[in-house]
Amino acid sequence: MNESTSPPPEFSPESPPPSDAPAALTDTPIPTDPQSVAEFEAALSVSKILIVDDNQQNLELLQAYLEVLPCQILTATNGLEALAVVEQVKPDVILLDIMMPRMSGFEVCKKLKADPETRWIPIIMVTALNELGDIERGVESGTDDFLTKPVNKLELITRVRSLLRIRHLKGEVARTREYIKRVEEQRSDSGSSEGAAD
């Protein structure tokens, strides 16, 4: 879509959240103790956010909103390009427009959630659609959250941080489980060796 025919951006930093917008599915509190805050901020600095939108103005505006976060921002202008980026990079959060040519956001979300390698990636659908059927279709596709256009900057940042926080916590849990597993294996090996010595 060229600049001369592009519609005006569908976002506004001052837009209040719509009264009928779906409640956030990720109301995870941001950590407050110093150690957790430091760990989370360190995790943010290596996090990657993928923004997918076929409207260049909307893409640039969302990117500008998210520049306050110390994350790497990636972009894609259609569903097929988004899938290619995900395959190469594995972003930590995806902001996904629904109405796109060639492949809709619903289709992209469904493909990513059906793949064991990418189903863990949190997806926020960014949409001007507000019909109940569209929301249900998004949920069925596997989306983790919704943002309704015009997007409120504070709401956007809050939800992205929340999903990144969840991603960080899941990583900590996975590492803890792996550590416990290794300790148990070492104890088992040690017990077997002692039994053989007796």
Side-chain angles (χ1 to χ4, degrees), residues 66 77 90 117 125 165 167 171:
L66 291 172
T77 57
K90 298 296 188 297
E117 294 294 319
M125 283 191 168
R165 172 61 176 163
R167 177 80 186 103

Side-chain angles (χ1 to χ4, degrees), residues 137-148:
R137 188 177 175 190
V139 172
E140 290 171 357
S141 298
T143 189
D144 297 275
D145 208 344
F146 291 93
L147 278 174
T148 304

Side-chain angles (χ1 to χ4, degrees), residues 124-141:
I124 302 177
M125 283 191 168
V126 185
T127 177
L129 304 176
N130 55 16
E131 295 294 329
L132 182 59
D134 295 322
I135 295 172
E136 290 177 348
R137 188 177 175 190
V139 172
E140 290 171 357
S141 298

Side-chain angles (χ1 to χ4, degrees), residues 56-70:
Q56 188 64 31
Q57 290 175 297
N58 292 340
L59 200 67
E60 291 175 357
L61 191 53
L62 276 177
Q63 190 172 3
Y65 283 177
L66 291 172
E67 284 179 352
V68 298
L69 298 177

Side-chain angles (χ1 to χ4, degrees), residues 10 23 37 41 45 80 82 91 100 109 114-115 123-124 128 157 159 162 180 184 190:
E10 298 171 284
V37 169
E41 292 302 323
S45 67
L80 295 177
M100 295 184 293
C109 185
D115 187 341
I123 296 175
I124 302 177
I157 294 170
R159 295 198 186 188
S162 181
I180 293 173
E184 290 177 344
S190 177

Side-chain angles (χ1 to χ4, degrees), residues 107-125:
E107 294 174 283
V108 174
C109 185
K110 195 170 183 178
K111 283 182 177 291
L112 293 175
K113 294 300 183 179
D115 187 341
E117 294 294 319
T118 56
R119 65 177 53 171
W120 56 267
I121 303 175
I123 296 175
I124 302 177
M125 283 191 168

Side-chain angles (χ1 to χ4, degrees), residues 145-156:
D145 208 344
F146 291 93
L147 278 174
T148 304
K149 300 176 184 179
V151 169
N152 175 273
K153 181 179 179 180
L154 178 59
E155 184 181 15
L156 169 67

